[in-house]
């Protein structure tokens, strides 16, 4: 029996696949033999990259689908007239099924009421499947003939892309299922199994097949993969027509700067981000482009350096997520209040819902498409390079450089903006606030909150409040529940899916999570800041729950 954790890891030159590219059409769809670099290129496209797509329903089984439901930028909306049964279909198809994730439950699989518990292993399984294919490509690519100039260029690109993808997927797994990077304990904190070889290592009678590597070991591997990817993709730059959906040196360098930022290696983060900023492919969208009425994140945007994977919050069907309609998710008032009125992102990203007074995420991504080209979890874009650089400089007391990068971004976001100068803790907080504004609903905020708690120079933590409104089968409002996530809560790290844990006779240790009870209060209450007043109150209930 193959381990469910690495179900597609095959031996030697044999690579399992379900793709249907030209090369694969010549062979069985279950077993193929790669003979050229072009063969590996097609395998990379079909079996390692995540497909860009727009999703109508079914978040629970999507890769990384839940990542924007966890933080303080989102809440749920209450119907204005509790005697009406006019609610959005999102309650039944999105909000209700995602109850376990949205309220940080011990077992995220269960919907509200515990009537359904689909598997929570989609992200775990699908990323490890792709890692297995990347391992196969990395293992054999040096043996593929690449004497001609064209083959050499393709060899370097495929090799670089395979290392980039393995690094990006391990980084995602590490930040979901491993503790946030702590410099003092990363060498002992448990992370995820680290599988780098192409062969199946299952031993039938062995009681424990898989062990969890340390956070340090996984991060070191991610850095090694992304460093090599940057080098290979610099030797053979990505073709312009493929840049959006295939990795480039800029994509690898930008992700590398984020990894260094997470592990508080400020000098390395600064250097990696600066190299990306100096590329002609790194360009902040101009003010006019942001304010033009179209979505900022779309195919053809000057902002986007790379994207793969689905978009779960810009749905094809109207009103399935973050519409602000009654019964749906909405933008938290805490986030919305951070934007000045002369900030062009405010009317571009958001719009007040006329039926509930809640805020919808209306225009950051293109909506209503059969195919959305920009993911809400796996995209990399120019603004992040500037924010990573600014943060890394601020942590090293390079005040002028940090302010310069921050002002460069804000100049293209705020009408009549006058450059500002911040210092010390105020500068760090200004960068964090800008990061929250700029990168909202792109899969950053949850991980930023995790890492801020571990920051050795400027630690920050807050309590998050999520409001969950309940409706009956005939769409009438029933009740409102409130849940709190305090700083340092075990729920900041996900439990490893049960099927991966149960595979071994002696299972690898899991991450502890506790049962979460609702907060019994009559009215929403403002919560005092924890760890200082850097971000103020975490009361997200004002516009988010209407007249709750």
């Amino acid at each position: 029996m193959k381990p469910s954790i690495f179900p597609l890891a095959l031996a030697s030159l044999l690579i399992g696949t379900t793709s249907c590219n030209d090369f694969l059409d010549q062979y069985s769809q279950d077993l193929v033999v790669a003979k050229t670099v072009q063969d590996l290129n097609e395998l990379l496209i079909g079996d390692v990259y995540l497909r860009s797509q727009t999703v109508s329903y079914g978040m629970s089984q999507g890769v990384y689908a839940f990542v924007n439901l966890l933080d303080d930028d989102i809440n749920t909306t209450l119907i204005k007239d509790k005697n009406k049964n006019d609610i959005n279909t999102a309650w039944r198809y999105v909000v209700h099924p995602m109850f376990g994730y949205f309220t940080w439950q011990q077992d995220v699989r269960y919907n509200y009421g515990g009537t359904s518990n689909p598997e929570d292993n989609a992200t775990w399984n699908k990323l490890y499947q792709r890692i297995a294919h990347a391992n196969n490509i990395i293992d054999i690519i040096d043996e593929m003939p690449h004497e001609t100039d064209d083959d050499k260029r393709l060899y370097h690109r495929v090799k670089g892309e395979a290392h980039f993808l393995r690094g990006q997927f391990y980084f995602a797994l590490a930040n979901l299922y491993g503790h946030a990077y702590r410099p003092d304990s990363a060498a002992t904190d448990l992370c995820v199994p680290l599988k780098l070889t192409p062969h199946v290592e299952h031993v039938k009678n062995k009681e424990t097949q898989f062990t969890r590597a340390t956070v340090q070991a996984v991060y070191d591997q991610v850095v090694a993969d992304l460093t090599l990817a940057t080098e290979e993709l610099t030797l053979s730059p990505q073709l312009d027509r493929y840049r959006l959906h295939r990795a480039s040196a800029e994509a690898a360098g930008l992700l590398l700067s984020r990894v260094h930022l997470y592990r508080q290696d400020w000098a390395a983060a600064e250097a990696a981000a600066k190299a990306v900023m100096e590329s002609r492919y790194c360009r902040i969208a101009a003010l006019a482009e942001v304010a033009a009425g179209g979505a900022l994140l779309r195919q053809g945007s000057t902002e986007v350096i790379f994207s793969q994977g689905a978009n779960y919050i810009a749905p094809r069907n109207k009103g399935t997520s973050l519409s602000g309609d009654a019964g749906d998710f909405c933008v938290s008032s805490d986030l919305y209040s951070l934007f000045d009125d002369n900030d062009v992102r405010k009317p571009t990203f958001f719009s007040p819902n006329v039926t509930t007074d809640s805020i919808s995420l209306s225009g950051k991504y293109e909506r209503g498409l059969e195919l959305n080209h920009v993911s809400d979890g796996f995209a990399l874009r120019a603004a992040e390079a500037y924010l990573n650089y600014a943060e890394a400089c601020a942590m090293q007391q390079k005040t002028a450089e940090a302010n310069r990068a921050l002002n460069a971004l804000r100049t293209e976001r705020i009408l009549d903006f006058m450059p500002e100068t911040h210092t010390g803790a105020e500068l760090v907080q200004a960068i964090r606030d800008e990061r929250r504004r700029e990168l909202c609903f792109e899969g950053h905020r949850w991980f930023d909150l995790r890492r801020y708690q571990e920051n050795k120079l400027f630690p920050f933590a807050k309590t998050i409040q999520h409001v969950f409104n309940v409706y009956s089968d005939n769409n009438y409002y029933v009740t409102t529940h409130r849940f709190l996530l305090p700083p340092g809560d075990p729920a900041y790290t996900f439990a490893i899916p049960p099927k991966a844990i149960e595979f071994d006779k002696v299972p690898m240790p899991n991450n502890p999570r506790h049962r979460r009870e609702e907060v019994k209060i009559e009215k929403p209450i403002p919560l005092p800041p924890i760890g200082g007043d850097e971000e103020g109150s975490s009361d997200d209930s004002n516009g988010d729950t209407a007249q709750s």
Side-chain angles (χ1 to χ4, degrees), residues 447-462:
F447 301 118
D448 283 342
L449 288 172
R450 278 169 40 102
R451 69 186 181 90
Y452 292 161
Q453 296 180 62
E454 308 301 339
N455 188 286
K456 296 177 73 66
L457 299 175
F458 296 94
F460 170 77
K462 68 182 292 187

Side-chain angles (χ1 to χ4, degrees), residues 69-75 101-104 332 334 436 445-450 453 460-467 482-489 491-492 516-517 519 525 527-530 535-541 544:
L69 303 182
L70 307 170
D71 57 46
D72 53 347
D73 289 345
I74 192 170
N75 233 313
Y101 291 96
F102 180 70
T103 62
W104 317 291
S332 75
D334 190 34
R436 186 181 182 189
R445 180 63 176 172
W446 175 250
F447 301 118
D448 283 342
L449 288 172
R450 278 169 40 102
Q453 296 180 62
F460 170 77
K462 68 182 292 187
T463 293
I464 305 174
Q465 178 180 193
H466 274 181
V467 176
R482 294 179 179 84
F483 297 87
L484 301 181
L485 184 71
D489 193 286
Y492 271 102
R516 190 167 306 281
E517 302 291 345
V519 180
I525 55 173
L527 300 168
I530 296 176
E535 287 200 6
S537 169
S538 60
D539 175 21
D540 288 347
S541 57
D544 313 327

Side-chain angles (χ1 to χ4, degrees), residues 61-82:
Q61 295 304 301
V63 176
Y64 231 45
F66 51 84
V67 72
N68 288 302
L69 303 182
L70 307 170
D71 57 46
D72 53 347
D73 289 345
I74 192 170
N75 233 313
T76 60
T77 306
L78 181 65
I79 192 169
K80 265 188 173 183
D81 186 347
K82 299 178 183 179

Side-chain angles (χ1 to χ4, degrees), residues 300-320:
S301 170
T302 59
E303 275 282 332
V304 184
I305 292 173
F306 167 79
S307 181
Q308 67 169 327
N311 190 303
Y312 294 92
I313 60 174
R316 183 165 68 246
N317 292 344
K318 181 179 181 292
T320 56

